[in-house]
Amino acid sequence: MNAFLPLPTLIENYLDECNSAHIYRYLAAAEADPRLREIYQRLAETEERHAAAWAERIRAAGGQVPTFHPPLRTRLLLWLAARFGPALILPALQGMERGGASGYAQQGAPAAMSRQEQSHALVLGQIARLARGGLSGSALAQLEGRHRATGGNALRAAVLGANDGLVSNLSLVMGVAGAALDNRTVLITGLAGLLAGAISMALGEWLSVQSARELYGHQIAIEAEEIAHAPEEEAEELALIYEARGLAPEQARALATQILSDPQNALDTLAREELGVDPQELGGSAWEAALTSFVLFALGAIFPVLPFAFFSGFSAVIASILFSILALFGLGAAITLFTGRSVLYSGLRMVIFGLLAAAVTFGIGRLIGVSIAG
């Protein structure tokens, strides 16, 4: 824990916690569902404990604990909740909790405080889904950290990765061709763009996944420490999540207590419920993600380049455009698996956008080529 936070930061943290507690108390008073009312009350109690901890540190630093007055943004949120229902402001509250967790982590605040803020964000997400008609199977699976890189998500990533390679390299090749450079130069440039883009995508994906794995590993280590030293608090947070899913308070507490009785099982469950990650996978393999990204980008990027290996001049340009049109239409058709739109609509939309990008770069290349030649 960072013991050297400046007084203004301590005061800001105190007021933020008071603000969150004030909102939850308001929602609890306005909530007709007794189950949700109790959840809001318990969220408010947690925030009030956080506020008390910051107030103590303010006094220890020689400061004066300020009087809390709800800011304008909070008053507006509560007015919206009163007029249109609490569900409208839940995403904003979720963002506040996530921001609080991130801020506390950067400040070196107590780890339990940051984890509770993250847990509150998950609880609010559950309530928001229930308000929209209940948890769907896919939403529940996502919360539990399953199916993260499989099925539809993997197919979506494949389509988007190939599309990035296709559109970017088509634009590059058309820009170079527009400058009226020879066939060999266009081919070399296209292959260089393919390799550069694929390597860049792979490196970015590796860094992203590896950083996420390291973060998850660190958070799981914090969870293990909290289970060992503060099992009651962890049981309370887990019970809140289960209550938000629809369990009665007694059932939620009993289930949370049972889970926490086995430290290893508790760690696995908390990692899934609070972090949204499978502790065995930690978000997947960074090398697998990098290789997949490289291959998908390269597969898309090869279509505009390939005709220049067999044709030359204007014929190569036309062939490149035709190859790219077919590929763009195919990718647009694949996207309909997610959007439900017609194949013709999605395919033509992808073709139009891709050709517009290519036309712009071809025109710029033509202008540059004429300027250099002149």
Side-chain angles (χ1 to χ4, degrees):
M1 176 178 175
N2 188 348
F4 303 103
L5 290 176
L7 186 59
T9 301
L10 298 176
I11 292 175
E12 182 182 355
N13 290 346
Y14 168 77
L15 293 175
D16 284 345
E17 296 292 354
C18 289
N19 186 59
S20 297
H22 176 76
I23 294 174
Y24 291 136
R25 286 294 181 193
Y26 178 91
L27 293 179
E31 180 57 59
D33 186 333
R35 179 175 55 85
L36 290 180
R37 186 188 311 126
E38 181 177 353
I39 291 175
Y40 287 134
Q41 288 172 346
R42 289 164 65 184
L43 290 173
E45 290 168 2
T46 302
E47 304 293 1
E48 287 164 354
R49 287 197 300 269
H50 291 178
W54 290 119
E56 183 178 344
R57 290 190 62 181
I58 290 171
R59 297 188 191 97
Q64 183 175 357
V65 178
T67 302
F68 170 72
H69 298 288
L72 177 61
R73 180 172 183 265
T74 295
R75 295 198 298 271
L76 178 59
L77 285 174
L78 296 184
W79 180 83
L80 290 171
R83 187 168 182 83
F84 302 105
L88 184 67
I89 69 169
L90 290 180
L93 298 183
Q94 220 179 343
M96 289 168 54
E97 294 288 6
R98 286 173 177 158
S102 175
Y104 283 166
Q106 293 173 4
Q107 294 173 16
M113 222 180 251
S114 178
R115 293 297 310 118
Q116 286 168 352
E117 299 291 330
Q118 289 184 355
S119 177
H120 290 180
L122 282 173
V123 170
L124 292 171
Q126 292 282 0
I127 296 174
R129 293 186 183 102
L130 288 170
R132 294 194 297 268
L135 275 174
S136 66
S138 60
L140 183 59
Q142 184 178 8
L143 186 72
E144 291 176 345
R146 296 168 186 157
H147 311 303
R148 281 188 166 265
T150 60
N153 288 338
L155 185 55
R156 184 192 302 270
V159 171
L160 295 179
N163 179 68
D164 286 344
L166 174 55
V167 174
S168 62
N169 221 33
L170 173 61
S171 300
L172 174 64
V173 167
M174 288 299 107
V176 176
L181 298 178
D182 63 272
N183 212 65
R184 184 170 177 272
T185 301
V186 176
L187 180 60
I188 292 174
T189 302
L191 291 175
L194 182 155
L195 288 174
I199 291 171
S200 176
M201 290 284 290
L203 179 59
E205 193 69 16
W206 187 91
L207 289 173
S208 175
V209 175
Q210 186 63 24
S211 297
R213 287 177 58 85
E214 292 169 358
L215 174 61
Y216 289 143
H218 176 66
Q219 291 179 325
I220 289 174
I222 292 175
E223 286 288 350
E225 184 177 350
E226 290 177 357
I227 291 171
H229 295 95
E232 297 83 5
E233 292 185 6
E234 291 299 303
E236 175 71 11
E237 294 299 316
L238 193 56
L240 272 175
I241 292 175
Y242 288 138
E243 282 185 54
R245 286 188 176 182
L247 288 182
E250 298 78 12
Q251 292 177 312
R253 292 192 190 97
L255 180 57
T257 301
Q258 180 182 358
I259 291 173
L260 266 295
S261 64
D262 180 352
Q264 186 56 47
N265 181 48
L267 181 60
D268 183 87
T269 302
L270 286 167
R272 295 176 185 273
E273 304 293 7
E274 291 194 6
L275 303 180
V277 64
D278 183 344
Q280 304 301 320
E281 296 183 0
L282 293 181
S285 166
W287 288 107
E288 181 180 347
L291 180 60
T292 302
S293 182
F294 181 94
V295 171
L296 292 174
F297 187 95
L299 283 176
I302 195 64
F303 282 93
V305 180
L306 201 57
F308 288 91
F310 303 100
F311 303 99
S312 62
F314 189 68
S315 298
V317 172
I318 294 299
S320 176
I321 292 174
L322 291 176
F323 267 53
S324 299
I325 286 175
L326 292 175
L328 285 166
F329 189 89
L331 289 173
I335 289 175
T336 62
L337 294 172
F338 319 121
T339 64
R341 302 299 295 265
S342 72
V343 171
L344 184 62
Y345 173 85
S346 294
L348 288 178
R349 180 177 61 179
M350 187 72 77
V351 169
I352 290 170
F353 288 153
L355 291 183
L356 282 175
V360 170
T361 55
F362 183 87
I364 293 173
R366 175 67 68 180
L367 289 174
I368 293 174
V370 170
S371 175
I372 292 175

PDB file of all heavy atoms in Angstrom, residues 206-234:
ATOM      1  N   TRP A 206       0.765 -10.549 -29.916  1.00  0.00           N
ATOM      2  CA  TRP A 206       1.573 -11.232 -28.890  1.00  0.00           C
ATOM      3  C   TRP A 206       1.699 -10.356 -27.649  1.00  0.00           C
ATOM      4  O   TRP A 206       1.516 -10.838 -26.525  1.00  0.00           O
ATOM      5  CB  TRP A 206       2.962 -11.544 -29.446  1.00  0.00           C
ATOM      6  CG  TRP A 206       3.788 -12.381 -28.516  1.00  0.00           C
ATOM      7  CD1 TRP A 206       3.867 -13.750 -28.485  1.00  0.00           C
ATOM      8  CD2 TRP A 206       4.645 -11.912 -27.455  1.00  0.00           C
ATOM      9  NE1 TRP A 206       4.714 -14.159 -27.477  1.00  0.00           N
ATOM     10  CE2 TRP A 206       5.203 -13.052 -26.831  1.00  0.00           C
ATOM     11  CE3 TRP A 206       4.985 -10.651 -26.993  1.00  0.00           C
ATOM     12  CZ2 TRP A 206       6.085 -12.958 -25.755  1.00  0.00           C
ATOM     13  CZ3 TRP A 206       5.854 -10.547 -25.913  1.00  0.00           C
ATOM     14  CH2 TRP A 206       6.402 -11.688 -25.310  1.00  0.00           C
ATOM     15  N   LEU A 207       2.019  -9.094 -27.851  1.00  0.00           N
ATOM     16  CA  LEU A 207       2.168  -8.183 -26.706  1.00  0.00           C
ATOM     17  C   LEU A 207       0.856  -8.047 -25.949  1.00  0.00           C
ATOM     18  O   LEU A 207       0.841  -8.024 -24.708  1.00  0.00           O
ATOM     19  CB  LEU A 207       2.646  -6.818 -27.194  1.00  0.00           C
ATOM     20  CG  LEU A 207       4.097  -6.740 -27.680  1.00  0.00           C
ATOM     21  CD1 LEU A 207       4.376  -5.382 -28.295  1.00  0.00           C
ATOM     22  CD2 LEU A 207       5.062  -7.001 -26.520  1.00  0.00           C
ATOM     23  N   SER A 208      -0.248  -7.948 -26.683  1.00  0.00           N
ATOM     24  CA  SER A 208      -1.546  -7.782 -26.046  1.00  0.00           C
ATOM     25  C   SER A 208      -1.903  -8.993 -25.183  1.00  0.00           C
ATOM     26  O   SER A 208      -2.266  -8.863 -24.014  1.00  0.00           O
ATOM     27  CB  SER A 208      -2.619  -7.556 -27.110  1.00  0.00           C
ATOM     28  OG  SER A 208      -3.897  -7.515 -26.537  1.00  0.00           O
ATOM     29  N   VAL A 209      -1.795 -10.179 -25.773  1.00  0.00           N
ATOM     30  CA  VAL A 209      -2.172 -11.394 -25.054  1.00  0.00           C
ATOM     31  C   VAL A 209      -1.195 -11.671 -23.916  1.00  0.00           C
ATOM     32  O   VAL A 209      -1.605 -12.045 -22.798  1.00  0.00           O
ATOM     33  CB  VAL A 209      -2.243 -12.597 -26.016  1.00  0.00           C
ATOM     34  CG1 VAL A 209      -2.509 -13.891 -25.253  1.00  0.00           C
ATOM     35  CG2 VAL A 209      -3.323 -12.362 -27.064  1.00  0.00           C
ATOM     36  N   GLN A 210       0.109 -11.491 -24.160  1.00  0.00           N
ATOM     37  CA  GLN A 210       1.083 -11.753 -23.114  1.00  0.00           C
ATOM     38  C   GLN A 210       0.911 -10.787 -21.938  1.00  0.00           C
ATOM     39  O   GLN A 210       1.010 -11.197 -20.769  1.00  0.00           O
ATOM     40  CB  GLN A 210       2.502 -11.635 -23.676  1.00  0.00           C
ATOM     41  CG  GLN A 210       3.610 -12.024 -22.701  1.00  0.00           C
ATOM     42  CD  GLN A 210       3.543 -13.482 -22.292  1.00  0.00           C
ATOM     43  OE1 GLN A 210       2.981 -14.322 -23.010  1.00  0.00           O
ATOM     44  NE2 GLN A 210       4.100 -13.808 -21.136  1.00  0.00           N
ATOM     45  N   SER A 211       0.635  -9.523 -22.239  1.00  0.00           N
ATOM     46  CA  SER A 211       0.400  -8.555 -21.166  1.00  0.00           C
ATOM     47  C   SER A 211      -0.840  -8.930 -20.369  1.00  0.00           C
ATOM     48  O   SER A 211      -0.856  -8.818 -19.132  1.00  0.00           O
ATOM     49  CB  SER A 211       0.239  -7.149 -21.757  1.00  0.00           C
ATOM     50  OG  SER A 211       1.423  -6.732 -22.400  1.00  0.00           O
ATOM     51  N   ALA A 212      -1.885  -9.376 -21.094  1.00  0.00           N
ATOM     52  CA  ALA A 212      -3.103  -9.799 -20.404  1.00  0.00           C
ATOM     53  C   ALA A 212      -2.837 -11.014 -19.519  1.00  0.00           C
ATOM     54  O   ALA A 212      -3.320 -11.095 -18.382  1.00  0.00           O
ATOM     55  CB  ALA A 212      -4.196 -10.110 -21.424  1.00  0.00           C
ATOM     56  N   ARG A 213      -2.039 -11.957 -20.014  1.00  0.00           N
ATOM     57  CA  ARG A 213      -1.704 -13.147 -19.215  1.00  0.00           C
ATOM     58  C   ARG A 213      -0.956 -12.755 -17.948  1.00  0.00           C
ATOM     59  O   ARG A 213      -1.225 -13.275 -16.864  1.00  0.00           O
ATOM     60  CB  ARG A 213      -0.854 -14.120 -20.047  1.00  0.00           C
ATOM     61  CG  ARG A 213      -1.624 -14.855 -21.128  1.00  0.00           C
ATOM     62  CD  ARG A 213      -0.692 -15.740 -21.954  1.00  0.00           C
ATOM     63  NE  ARG A 213       0.005 -16.713 -21.137  1.00  0.00           N
ATOM     64  CZ  ARG A 213      -0.498 -17.896 -20.800  1.00  0.00           C
ATOM     65  NH1 ARG A 213      -1.696 -18.250 -21.227  1.00  0.00           N
ATOM     66  NH2 ARG A 213       0.196 -18.737 -20.057  1.00  0.00           N
ATOM     67  N   GLU A 214       0.002 -11.839 -18.093  1.00  0.00           N
ATOM     68  CA  GLU A 214       0.759 -11.403 -16.919  1.00  0.00           C
ATOM     69  C   GLU A 214      -0.130 -10.680 -15.922  1.00  0.00           C
ATOM     70  O   GLU A 214       0.007 -10.852 -14.706  1.00  0.00           O
ATOM     71  CB  GLU A 214       1.915 -10.514 -17.365  1.00  0.00           C
ATOM     72  CG  GLU A 214       2.985 -11.276 -18.151  1.00  0.00           C
ATOM     73  CD  GLU A 214       3.986 -10.362 -18.810  1.00  0.00           C
ATOM     74  OE1 GLU A 214       3.828  -9.121 -18.690  1.00  0.00           O
ATOM     75  OE2 GLU A 214       4.926 -10.873 -19.470  1.00  0.00           O
ATOM     76  N   LEU A 215      -1.052  -9.865 -16.451  1.00  0.00           N
ATOM     77  CA  LEU A 215      -1.977  -9.159 -15.565  1.00  0.00           C
ATOM     78  C   LEU A 215      -2.877 -10.138 -14.841  1.00  0.00           C
ATOM     79  O   LEU A 215      -3.082 -10.033 -13.624  1.00  0.00           O
ATOM     80  CB  LEU A 215      -2.814  -8.178 -16.384  1.00  0.00           C
ATOM     81  CG  LEU A 215      -3.944  -7.460 -15.623  1.00  0.00           C
ATOM     82  CD1 LEU A 215      -3.379  -6.619 -14.486  1.00  0.00           C
ATOM     83  CD2 LEU A 215      -4.773  -6.609 -16.569  1.00  0.00           C
ATOM     84  N   TYR A 216      -3.442 -11.106 -15.581  1.00  0.00           N
ATOM     85  CA  TYR A 216      -4.310 -12.095 -14.959  1.00  0.00           C
ATOM     86  C   TYR A 216      -3.548 -12.900 -13.901  1.00  0.00           C
ATOM     87  O   TYR A 216      -4.074 -13.197 -12.827  1.00  0.00           O
ATOM     88  CB  TYR A 216      -4.885 -13.045 -16.010  1.00  0.00           C
ATOM     89  CG  TYR A 216      -5.910 -12.416 -16.918  1.00  0.00           C
ATOM     90  CD1 TYR A 216      -5.974 -12.770 -18.271  1.00  0.00           C
ATOM     91  CD2 TYR A 216      -6.809 -11.474 -16.447  1.00  0.00           C
ATOM     92  CE1 TYR A 216      -6.912 -12.200 -19.110  1.00  0.00           C
ATOM     93  CE2 TYR A 216      -7.743 -10.900 -17.286  1.00  0.00           C
ATOM     94  CZ  TYR A 216      -7.795 -11.262 -18.613  1.00  0.00           C
ATOM     95  OH  TYR A 216      -8.721 -10.704 -19.454  1.00  0.00           O
ATOM     96  N   GLY A 217      -2.302 -13.264 -14.224  1.00  0.00           N
ATOM     97  CA  GLY A 217      -1.502 -14.008 -13.251  1.00  0.00           C
ATOM     98  C   GLY A 217      -1.292 -13.220 -11.977  1.00  0.00           C
ATOM     99  O   GLY A 217      -1.377 -13.768 -10.860  1.00  0.00           O
ATOM    100  N   HIS A 218      -1.024 -11.928 -12.128  1.00  0.00           N
ATOM    101  CA  HIS A 218      -0.842 -11.072 -10.960  1.00  0.00           C
ATOM    102  C   HIS A 218      -2.130 -10.960 -10.152  1.00  0.00           C
ATOM    103  O   HIS A 218      -2.121 -11.035  -8.914  1.00  0.00           O
ATOM    104  CB  HIS A 218      -0.376  -9.693 -11.416  1.00  0.00           C
ATOM    105  CG  HIS A 218      -0.236  -8.694 -10.302  1.00  0.00           C
ATOM    106  ND1 HIS A 218       0.701  -8.830  -9.294  1.00  0.00           N
ATOM    107  CD2 HIS A 218      -0.927  -7.552 -10.025  1.00  0.00           C
ATOM    108  CE1 HIS A 218       0.589  -7.811  -8.453  1.00  0.00           C
ATOM    109  NE2 HIS A 218      -0.402  -7.035  -8.870  1.00  0.00           N
ATOM    110  N   GLN A 219      -3.252 -10.783 -10.851  1.00  0.00           N
ATOM    111  CA  GLN A 219      -4.525 -10.655 -10.154  1.00  0.00           C
ATOM    112  C   GLN A 219      -4.919 -11.947  -9.451  1.00  0.00           C
ATOM    113  O   GLN A 219      -5.484 -11.913  -8.350  1.00  0.00           O
ATOM    114  CB  GLN A 219      -5.615 -10.236 -11.152  1.00  0.00           C
ATOM    115  CG  GLN A 219      -5.443  -8.815 -11.651  1.00  0.00           C
ATOM    116  CD  GLN A 219      -6.509  -8.435 -12.662  1.00  0.00           C
ATOM    117  OE1 GLN A 219      -6.948  -9.264 -13.462  1.00  0.00           O
ATOM    118  NE2 GLN A 219      -6.923  -7.183 -12.643  1.00  0.00           N
ATOM    119  N   ILE A 220      -4.620 -13.083 -10.080  1.00  0.00           N
ATOM    120  CA  ILE A 220      -4.925 -14.363  -9.437  1.00  0.00           C
ATOM    121  C   ILE A 220      -4.068 -14.545  -8.187  1.00  0.00           C
ATOM    122  O   ILE A 220      -4.529 -15.070  -7.169  1.00  0.00           O
ATOM    123  CB  ILE A 220      -4.724 -15.517 -10.435  1.00  0.00           C
ATOM    124  CG1 ILE A 220      -5.833 -15.477 -11.495  1.00  0.00           C
ATOM    125  CG2 ILE A 220      -4.717 -16.863  -9.734  1.00  0.00           C
ATOM    126  CD1 ILE A 220      -5.655 -16.467 -12.615  1.00  0.00           C
ATOM    127  N   ALA A 221      -2.812 -14.086  -8.240  1.00  0.00           N
ATOM    128  CA  ALA A 221      -1.959 -14.157  -7.056  1.00  0.00           C
ATOM    129  C   ALA A 221      -2.531 -13.296  -5.925  1.00  0.00           C
ATOM    130  O   ALA A 221      -2.495 -13.685  -4.742  1.00  0.00           O
ATOM    131  CB  ALA A 221      -0.544 -13.696  -7.409  1.00  0.00           C
ATOM    132  N   ILE A 222      -3.076 -12.128  -6.292  1.00  0.00           N
ATOM    133  CA  ILE A 222      -3.713 -11.272  -5.285  1.00  0.00           C
ATOM    134  C   ILE A 222      -4.941 -11.968  -4.710  1.00  0.00           C
ATOM    135  O   ILE A 222      -5.178 -11.934  -3.487  1.00  0.00           O
ATOM    136  CB  ILE A 222      -4.094  -9.916  -5.901  1.00  0.00           C
ATOM    137  CG1 ILE A 222      -2.834  -9.123  -6.253  1.00  0.00           C
ATOM    138  CG2 ILE A 222      -4.970  -9.111  -4.942  1.00  0.00           C
ATOM    139  CD1 ILE A 222      -3.108  -7.817  -6.968  1.00  0.00           C
ATOM    140  N   GLU A 223      -5.727 -12.617  -5.579  1.00  0.00           N
ATOM    141  CA  GLU A 223      -6.897 -13.351  -5.109  1.00  0.00           C
ATOM    142  C   GLU A 223      -6.503 -14.436  -4.114  1.00  0.00           C
ATOM    143  O   GLU A 223      -7.151 -14.618  -3.084  1.00  0.00           O
ATOM    144  CB  GLU A 223      -7.637 -13.983  -6.291  1.00  0.00           C
ATOM    145  CG  GLU A 223      -8.433 -13.013  -7.138  1.00  0.00           C
ATOM    146  CD  GLU A 223      -9.674 -12.522  -6.431  1.00  0.00           C
ATOM    147  OE1 GLU A 223     -10.026 -13.056  -5.360  1.00  0.00           O
ATOM    148  OE2 GLU A 223     -10.290 -11.574  -6.941  1.00  0.00           O
ATOM    149  N   ALA A 224      -5.426 -15.166  -4.429  1.00  0.00           N
ATOM    150  CA  ALA A 224      -4.977 -16.233  -3.528  1.00  0.00           C
ATOM    151  C   ALA A 224      -4.594 -15.674  -2.168  1.00  0.00           C
ATOM    152  O   ALA A 224      -4.906 -16.258  -1.117  1.00  0.00           O
ATOM    153  CB  ALA A 224      -3.792 -16.974  -4.155  1.00  0.00           C
ATOM    154  N   GLU A 225      -3.928 -14.511  -2.184  1.00  0.00           N
ATOM    155  CA  GLU A 225      -3.534 -13.884  -0.919  1.00  0.00           C
ATOM    156  C   GLU A 225      -4.758 -13.430  -0.130  1.00  0.00           C
ATOM    157  O   GLU A 225      -4.813 -13.595   1.102  1.00  0.00           O
ATOM    158  CB  GLU A 225      -2.624 -12.688  -1.208  1.00  0.00           C
ATOM    159  CG  GLU A 225      -2.080 -12.029   0.044  1.00  0.00           C
ATOM    160  CD  GLU A 225      -1.133 -10.894  -0.296  1.00  0.00           C
ATOM    161  OE1 GLU A 225      -0.758 -10.753  -1.474  1.00  0.00           O
ATOM    162  OE2 GLU A 225      -0.771 -10.142   0.629  1.00  0.00           O
ATOM    163  N   GLU A 226      -5.752 -12.891  -0.817  1.00  0.00           N
ATOM    164  CA  GLU A 226      -6.952 -12.426  -0.124  1.00  0.00           C
ATOM    165  C   GLU A 226      -7.770 -13.591   0.416  1.00  0.00           C
ATOM    166  O   GLU A 226      -8.381 -13.479   1.482  1.00  0.00           O
ATOM    167  CB  GLU A 226      -7.790 -11.579  -1.083  1.00  0.00           C
ATOM    168  CG  GLU A 226      -7.127 -10.241  -1.401  1.00  0.00           C
ATOM    169  CD  GLU A 226      -7.938  -9.438  -2.405  1.00  0.00           C
ATOM    170  OE1 GLU A 226      -8.969  -9.950  -2.889  1.00  0.00           O
ATOM    171  OE2 GLU A 226      -7.530  -8.299  -2.696  1.00  0.00           O
ATOM    172  N   ILE A 227      -7.798 -14.705  -0.316  1.00  0.00           N
ATOM    173  CA  ILE A 227      -8.502 -15.890   0.193  1.00  0.00           C
ATOM    174  C   ILE A 227      -7.850 -16.371   1.480  1.00  0.00           C
ATOM    175  O   ILE A 227      -8.527 -16.778   2.436  1.00  0.00           O
ATOM    176  CB  ILE A 227      -8.506 -17.011  -0.866  1.00  0.00           C
ATOM    177  CG1 ILE A 227      -9.406 -16.622  -2.046  1.00  0.00           C
ATOM    178  CG2 ILE A 227      -8.962 -18.333  -0.274  1.00  0.00           C
ATOM    179  CD1 ILE A 227      -9.314 -17.557  -3.227  1.00  0.00           C
ATOM    180  N   ALA A 228      -6.519 -16.296   1.521  1.00  0.00           N
ATOM    181  CA  ALA A 228      -5.797 -16.758   2.712  1.00  0.00           C
ATOM    182  C   ALA A 228      -5.977 -15.824   3.904  1.00  0.00           C
ATOM    183  O   ALA A 228      -6.065 -16.285   5.045  1.00  0.00           O
ATOM    184  CB  ALA A 228      -4.314 -16.910   2.383  1.00  0.00           C
ATOM    185  N   HIS A 229      -6.059 -14.507   3.649  1.00  0.00           N
ATOM    186  CA  HIS A 229      -6.057 -13.553   4.756  1.00  0.00           C
ATOM    187  C   HIS A 229      -7.409 -12.910   5.021  1.00  0.00           C
ATOM    188  O   HIS A 229      -7.635 -12.402   6.128  1.00  0.00           O
ATOM    189  CB  HIS A 229      -5.024 -12.452   4.488  1.00  0.00           C
ATOM    190  CG  HIS A 229      -3.616 -12.942   4.448  1.00  0.00           C
ATOM    191  ND1 HIS A 229      -2.977 -13.274   3.270  1.00  0.00           N
ATOM    192  CD2 HIS A 229      -2.722 -13.195   5.433  1.00  0.00           C
ATOM    193  CE1 HIS A 229      -1.755 -13.696   3.524  1.00  0.00           C
ATOM    194  NE2 HIS A 229      -1.566 -13.655   4.833  1.00  0.00           N
ATOM    195  N   ALA A 230      -8.306 -12.895   4.045  1.00  0.00           N
ATOM    196  CA  ALA A 230      -9.616 -12.258   4.253  1.00  0.00           C
ATOM    197  C   ALA A 230     -10.706 -13.069   3.568  1.00  0.00           C
ATOM    198  O   ALA A 230     -11.395 -12.567   2.671  1.00  0.00           O
ATOM    199  CB  ALA A 230      -9.599 -10.826   3.737  1.00  0.00           C
ATOM    200  N   PRO A 231     -10.893 -14.332   3.962  1.00  0.00           N
ATOM    201  CA  PRO A 231     -11.892 -15.168   3.284  1.00  0.00           C
ATOM    202  C   PRO A 231     -13.318 -14.643   3.451  1.00  0.00           C
ATOM    203  O   PRO A 231     -14.155 -14.844   2.576  1.00  0.00           O
ATOM    204  CB  PRO A 231     -11.716 -16.535   3.946  1.00  0.00           C
ATOM    205  CG  PRO A 231     -11.058 -16.253   5.264  1.00  0.00           C
ATOM    206  CD  PRO A 231     -10.199 -15.060   5.038  1.00  0.00           C
ATOM    207  N   GLU A 232     -13.613 -13.981   4.582  1.00  0.00           N
ATOM    208  CA  GLU A 232     -14.972 -13.479   4.796  1.00  0.00           C
ATOM    209  C   GLU A 232     -15.333 -12.421   3.754  1.00  0.00           C
ATOM    210  O   GLU A 232     -16.441 -12.419   3.216  1.00  0.00           O
ATOM    211  CB  GLU A 232     -15.118 -12.890   6.211  1.00  0.00           C
ATOM    212  CG  GLU A 232     -14.910 -13.899   7.330  1.00  0.00           C
ATOM    213  CD  GLU A 232     -13.436 -14.102   7.648  1.00  0.00           C
ATOM    214  OE1 GLU A 232     -12.588 -13.379   7.057  1.00  0.00           O
ATOM    215  OE2 GLU A 232     -13.130 -14.990   8.471  1.00  0.00           O
ATOM    216  N   GLU A 233     -14.381 -11.514   3.475  1.00  0.00           N
ATOM    217  CA  GLU A 233     -14.655 -10.476   2.481  1.00  0.00           C
ATOM    218  C   GLU A 233     -14.833 -11.079   1.090  1.00  0.00           C
ATOM    219  O   GLU A 233     -15.701 -10.643   0.321  1.00  0.00           O
ATOM    220  CB  GLU A 233     -13.523  -9.457   2.462  1.00  0.00           C
ATOM    221  CG  GLU A 233     -13.434  -8.608   3.708  1.00  0.00           C
ATOM    222  CD  GLU A 233     -12.374  -7.536   3.582  1.00  0.00           C
ATOM    223  OE1 GLU A 233     -11.802  -7.392   2.477  1.00  0.00           O
ATOM    224  OE2 GLU A 233     -12.105  -6.847   4.586  1.00  0.00           O
ATOM    225  N   GLU A 234     -14.027 -12.067   0.756  1.00  0.00           N
ATOM    226  CA  GLU A 234     -14.163 -12.709  -0.550  1.00  0.00           C
ATOM    227  C   GLU A 234     -15.497 -13.438  -0.667  1.00  0.00           C
ATOM    228  O   GLU A 234     -16.129 -13.414  -1.733  1.00  0.00           O
ATOM    229  CB  GLU A 234     -13.001 -13.700  -0.770  1.00  0.00           C
ATOM    230  CG  GLU A 234     -11.658 -13.038  -0.951  1.00  0.00           C
ATOM    231  CD  GLU A 234     -11.633 -12.128  -2.161  1.00  0.00           C
ATOM    232  OE1 GLU A 234     -11.905 -12.598  -3.281  1.00  0.00           O
ATOM    233  OE2 GLU A 234     -11.364 -10.927  -1.985  1.00  0.00           O
TER     234      GLU A 234
END
